[in-house]
Amino acid sequence: MKAQESAFLGKISAGMTHEIKNVLAIIRESAGLMEDLLSLCRESSFPYQEKFCTVLGTIQGQVRRGVELTTRLNRFAHSMDAPVAEVDLSALLEQMVSLMQRFARLKRLELEALPAGKPITIRTDPFRLQLILAACLDHLFGLAKEGGRIGLRPQLDGGNVAIRIFGEKEGFAGPPRDGELPEELGPLSEIIQALQAELRTLDAGGDAGFVLLLPMEIQ
Amino acid sequence: MAQWKVLLVDDEVEFATTLAERLTLRGIEAVTVHDGEAALQRIAVDPPQIVVLDMMMPGLGGLEVLRLIKKNHPGIPVILLTGRGSTKEGIDGMDLGAYDFLMKPIKIEALVEKMKEAVEQSTSVRAKETG
């Protein structure tokens, strides 16, 4: 996707998620006001008081869920703000897990972001990086057996950074073959090049998947 | 009896008025306005002890309103409300003199606590200044 197109998509999505948050804020405050008023008449004989409290609790719970989802979507939208930005890899991988969680759940898989030894920050294109990671995850979701677990782990690799997108080899019906990138990831080559990155298959120590090598800073 | 007065500045009218009602129930007098210009006018004629200011508003944006409040009424603490997913905007506001920022939707207890802290701090600074 061209920079202008992604910036447009980002701007619209960021604006809409901001509006949705305002809607959620009004729902939260309205439910909160009802709770406040109910607590003022706790001693009264209002027959459905307990039921009202339960329902208001459900509303507040769903608002919290909606806020979490829109916050993630808002962050994703803002990842299109600039073609190159400082990226905290642990935060970005947490974000990826959140965005892809639903797709993993549909395949009955567990998806998790694993911690780096220490914080790693790089300068890269956050939107394109997420696009590559999502494509790799999607590919692994297609190969993984039900009940499997897929992880994302950043690590320093010499002067570069490596992100492992992997699961236990036994958890795949047919893991990616060593040294051979799947055909469906072919269209990513231009994006991988733009990130000055390299995508390799991983088959080591009982794990299988991909390793994405990235420079600390795009030149 | 109200302990002190807060000015709520938010273009989302229902949000501001509902929040004001909840604060009133907690003994805090809350006045609402719905744009930056109205906020500055209100502060000039009836300064509150604290301002709670939304960052994204039509017309004068939150940061610009904050800058003008800090220029003309440096003693009034301002708490920012931000709807963005990241904290960057709030940190920018603190660099301009905001007391703190909260992400929308807010937790009322957190807002009340933050307002109390800010008012107490500004009161004690003023007391020291006046000797």
Side-chain angles (χ1 to χ4, degrees), chain A:
Chain A
M1 198 185 295
K2 290 179 182 140
Q4 205 177 356
E5 291 166 344
S6 61
F8 169 67
L9 181 62
K11 183 178 175 171
I12 297 297
S13 311
M16 296 309 281
T17 50
H18 190 267
E19 287 299 298
I20 295 168
K21 275 191 149 189
N22 277 330
V23 171
L24 291 168
I26 293 168
I27 296 172
R28 172 179 268 184
E29 290 315 314
S30 302
L33 178 58
M34 288 165 77
E35 283 174 339
D36 290 348
L37 296 173
L38 274 174
S39 72
L40 288 178
C41 55
R42 195 167 284 155
E43 303 306 318
S44 76
S45 58
F46 176 50
Y48 302 110
Q49 188 152 7
E50 208 170 301
K51 184 70 184 164
F52 264 83
C53 288
T54 308
V55 173
L56 287 170
T58 304
I59 293 172
Q60 296 284 23
Q62 291 305 307
V63 167
R64 277 194 292 276
R65 186 177 169 209
V67 170
E68 171 69 23
L69 291 170
T70 45
T71 299
R72 295 287 184 186
L73 188 55
N74 188 271
R75 281 186 195 150
F76 177 67
H78 281 295
S79 71
M80 299 174 218
D81 284 351
V84 177
E86 290 222 330
V87 174
D88 171 343
L89 281 183
S90 294
L92 183 123
L93 297 185
E94 289 279 354
Q95 163 89 352
M96 276 315 295
V97 166
S98 174
L99 292 171
M100 297 297 288
Q101 197 64 262
R102 178 180 161 74
F103 304 108
R105 211 169 45 236
L106 288 172
K107 297 273 186 181
R108 296 206 165 99
L109 298 169
E110 272 186 48
L111 180 60
E112 60 183 345
L114 300 157
K118 57 178 183 177
I120 305 173
T121 302
I122 63 171
R123 278 186 66 78
T124 192
D125 179 336
F127 173 66
R128 284 179 159 143
L129 175 55
Q130 288 174 97
L131 200 156
I132 295 171
L133 293 171
C136 292
L137 285 171
D138 238 351
H139 183 79
L140 294 183
F141 290 169
L143 301 175
K145 294 177 194 165
E146 230 175 67
R149 181 186 293 243
I150 295 186
L152 292 158
R153 186 198 296 274
Q155 60 190 63
L156 290 169
D157 183 69
N160 294 324
V161 162
I163 300 175
R164 288 159 66 104
I165 310 127
F166 68 103
E168 279 183 15
K169 196 173 177 181
E170 284 178 0
F172 293 107
R177 286 185 203 147
D178 194 17
E180 194 180 316
L181 281 178
E183 208 171 300
E184 70 175 79
L185 297 183
L188 290 181
S189 59
E190 211 177 303
I191 300 167
I192 293 170
Q193 213 173 350
L195 287 184
Q196 296 159 9
E198 193 183 331
L199 183 64
R200 296 179 188 162
T201 53
L202 166 75
D203 184 355
D207 290 333
F210 300 103
V211 179
L212 182 65
L213 292 164
L214 295 154
M216 295 300 288
E217 184 166 2
I218 288 184
Q219 298 300 317

Side-chain angles (χ1 to χ4, degrees), chain B residues 5-9 31 33 35-53 65-78:
Chain B
K5 191 191 306 175
V6 55
L7 179 66
L8 298 176
V9 190
V31 177
V33 289
D35 61 56
E37 289 85 352
L40 296 171
Q41 284 167 18
R42 180 84 200 199
I43 294 168
V45 295
D46 181 19
Q49 274 71 48
I50 186 163
V51 175
V52 174
L53 175 66
V65 178
L66 169 67
R67 203 180 58 74
L68 291 167
I69 295 173
K70 286 289 138 189
K71 184 180 165 200
N72 299 318
H73 310 275
I76 299 179
V78 178

